[in-house]
Amino acid sequence: MKFRAPGLYVQVLIAVIVGVLVGVLAPEFGATLKPLGEAFIKCVKMLIAPIVFCTVVTGIAKMGDLKKVGRVGVKALVWFELMTTLALVIGLLVGRFVQPGAGMNVDASKLDMKAIESYAAQGKALSGLEFAMNVIPRDVVDAFAKGDILQVLFFALLFGLALAHLPEKGAPMLHWLESAGDVLFKIVGLVMKVAPLGAFGAMAFTVGKYGVGTLLSLGKLMACFYLTSVLFVVIVLGLVLRWTGAGLVPFLLYIREEIFIVLGTSSSESALPPMMKKLEQLGCGKGVVGLVVPMGYSFNLDGTSIYLTLATLFIAQATGTHVTLAQELQILAVLLLTSKGAAAVTGSGFITLAATLSSVGSIPVAGLTLLIGIDRFMSEARAITNLIGNGVATVVVARWEGELDVPRMREVLGAKAHAPAEVAGAA
């Protein structure tokens, strides 16, 4: 009987479990395995900029309609704002009524700021104007060198529109970019084969360095955040998917490999390339996928939004800082801006939280030290919720724009959600 290796999602799940065990049983050794996770994420990140460029340019060039591109972009931004605002409000309401930090009575003046100085410094540098100006790259090479998704997206939009207006002269270039995209996704398939190793190293490092004991001391906050994230996915995103003609469970099964990769690495960026490919295979228009997914990684971070309002109120409650209804509304208004500056990488939510506390002023920034030990553990839930939210957003905008092949989507979800899907299949 021929042996059949388990699917990627099974391999990653096993790697995550083994990583946790190593972190618990041999914490010092587990803490040394950080390079495994970092190496895997770096391998994926080196492919993101060229994949986004090729996907967006070919998608826009084939659209050939500037009005359509603008329409898709506006619809995406409207949807992002609706979902992130809803997520922020939900996090605020949960924090207000559950009060996970109540009774801790922490003296903010005695907290050690050294552990969060780097986050606070980066947080102060974030502003709405700077974020908007940063979308325009200093030069094209710099955008690709830094791997800034929005900057690459901005240049790709211009390149794609120019190519669309040169149908004859641009045909060879379009063909070359399509072929380059196929090669890049083939590389993604090769990199994904070592995803279990990356997930193992990242999880062993997290548990080994921070310890399971840190989960117990702030367990109420973690349980509150995880439960809120799950309910957001099941209720809010589940109802949205039903409107598109898809079911939540089949959709989650379809992207299970990406979910487990994010679980192991704590970064939704690690699953961006295969997620884009799967959404195309699901029946979403290539141009819509190319626009919505990269934009969503900066503008549609549902999990991060829930975390930001919940964590802000937790710090206020833990330090005994009274927050009025007017101040809560101020926090919400500030977060509507600062949350858009959070990139989908590990630690960005913490930096954005620092920026928010600095802007609000009434809640001590030193309270961030209370979250240092568990932030890494909560980043998994943030990243997974962000991943699912961006996948749902792409399906919604595609359906809204008439670029969703609903029969194909139902066929794919019915057939492939119960069998391992090829990450780097044919374009």
Side-chain angles (χ1 to χ4, degrees), residues 112 198 220 267 319 321 350 358-359 407:
D112 184 10
K220 186 176 181 181
S267 171
T319 56
T321 305
F350 210 65
S358 298
S359 301

Side-chain angles (χ1 to χ4, degrees), residues 144-156:
F144 280 89
K146 292 191 302 185
D148 190 308
I149 296 177
L150 282 183
Q151 290 186 354
V152 173
L153 178 62
F154 179 78
F155 176 67

Side-chain angles (χ1 to χ4, degrees), residues 177-190:
L177 287 172
E178 288 180 328
S179 300
D182 291 340
V183 173
L184 288 168
F185 276 112
K186 179 60 68 174
I187 297 174
V188 170
L190 297 174

